[in-house]
Amino acid sequence: MERREKVLIGIAVGAVVGLLALAAPAVIGMIPTDEVVAEAPSPTPSASPEQTVTSPPRPTSEPTQPAPVETTPAPESKCLGVAPGEDRGSIAPGAEGVVERSDSAGLALVYRVVSNDSYWAIVERFCLDSDDFNAANDFDGPGDIYEGDYLAILAEGQPTAIALNDAKKGGYRTHQDCDGIARISVSEPNADGRIRTSIEGTIVDSGTGEYAEGPVEKVGGIPTVYTVQPGDTYRGIGDRFCVDAITVQALNDAGGPERVLQPGDRVQLRPTAKWIDAKG
């Protein structure tokens, strides 16, 4: 082969090889493959200090309002040295009711509520300890007080207050509530001014009534002396203690003139001796 022909063949082969080199990437991209190439994650833009986003505060529930509480008023200096139950009078609105029963020392035992009275005003009027006042009336604390109610100012007044409230509801006691009626015998005064006494039956305290709500003293467990309260009568006393009222009055008058009961009087419910001195 001549030199010229060899040169032409070499040129032709080189051209073919160059064309193949140029087409190789396209041909390779058309060949299917199982290789999966993961995409690179897109960069997250960083926030500038001015663009920092803060999460909103967690919402909180609205605060609930506490239930109103009635506070105890501060003790007044006027109550210093004042005995509980001493009536200071209607010193302020809210305690303008009536003292229904008092003891022999003049301390209030039972109070009757009037319109617009209030718990704390009553405590203040009588210089009371609220805990003692609650205990005497079975209160849990300041509560509803109704017009016409009878309240025990001191513990000694509790039976009377209960009786008055019961009587207001129709709870008055009579001899019909007794199993038997006791009777006292009182003789005429003898030459020495002495009276012989005796009793048949038993004195029994059947419970306070509308006309006999006061305290009673017992001797040997038997009711013996009763302290009169305003509005009491011999009939009421007789009904309460299951004893004939006329004979109780005769024992206490002891041959003297009939005497009207007064608050604070001490009524002898039964004779404690066979002979007593005549009062006439």
Side-chain angles (χ1 to χ4, degrees):
M1 180 178 297
E2 295 183 0
R3 177 178 175 79
R4 184 173 177 230
E5 291 176 351
K6 290 180 180 180
V7 171
L8 292 174
I9 291 172
I11 292 172
V13 171
V16 171
V17 172
L19 291 173
L20 290 174
L22 292 174
V27 173
I28 293 172
M30 295 174 61
I31 299 174
T33 177
D34 293 333
E35 185 179 1
V36 177
V37 180
E39 294 184 357
S42 59
T44 303
S46 60
S48 62
E50 293 80 2
Q51 296 175 335
T52 301
V53 179
T54 58
S55 59
R58 177 177 293 181
T60 57
S61 58
E62 295 184 0
T64 57
Q65 293 294 330
V69 177
E70 187 174 0
T71 57
T72 305
E76 293 191 2
S77 59
K78 291 182 179 179
C79 276
L80 295 177
V82 177
E86 185 170 326
D87 188 2
R88 294 169 55 200
S90 302
I91 58 176
E96 300 177 356
V98 179
V99 176
E100 292 287 339
R101 299 290 186 272
S102 301
D103 64 11
S104 57
L107 298 178
L109 292 179
V110 178
Y111 172 86
R112 179 166 54 85
V113 178
V114 298
S115 178
N116 297 321
D117 272 1
S118 72
Y119 175 97
W120 287 117
I122 296 170
V123 167
E124 182 182 359
R125 172 174 171 177
F126 296 99
C127 293
L128 302 176
D129 178 271
S130 59
D131 289 337
D132 293 341
F133 187 47
N134 292 344
N137 293 279
D138 294 328
F139 289 155
D140 292 328
D144 294 332
I145 293 178
Y146 298 97
E147 181 178 2
D149 281 355
Y150 294 92
L151 303 181
I153 297 301
L154 300 179
E156 296 85 342
Q158 186 183 54
T160 302
I162 292 174
L164 288 171
N165 285 317
D166 286 345
K168 185 176 64 173
K169 300 174 184 178
Y172 176 63
R173 300 175 186 273
T174 68
H175 279 168
Q176 295 177 354
D177 299 304
C178 299
D179 293 332
I181 304 300
R183 288 177 173 79
I184 300 169
S185 297
V186 179
S187 70
E188 294 293 329
N190 62 16
D192 297 326
R194 303 278 288 171
I195 294 176
R196 186 175 179 84
T197 64
S198 62
I199 184 171
E200 293 181 1
T202 304
I203 302 291
V204 177
D205 189 352
S206 66
T208 53
E210 185 175 4
Y211 301 105
E213 305 92 354
V216 60
E217 300 171 23
K218 295 182 179 181
V219 176
I222 303 174
T224 303
V225 178
Y226 172 81
T227 301
V228 176
Q229 304 297 309
D232 282 355
T233 64
Y234 272 117
R235 172 63 184 274
I237 295 171
D239 286 345
R240 171 175 172 177
F241 295 100
C242 299
V243 60
D244 184 273
I246 296 175
T247 61
V248 172
Q249 183 172 3
L251 173 65
N252 285 270
D253 289 341
E258 291 187 0
R259 181 175 174 275
V260 177
L261 287 176
Q262 299 295 327
D265 284 351
R266 290 167 57 82
V267 172
Q268 193 84 13
L269 298 174
R270 64 186 181 93
T272 57
K274 292 182 178 180
W275 292 90
I276 61 174
D277 292 330
K279 296 181 179 179

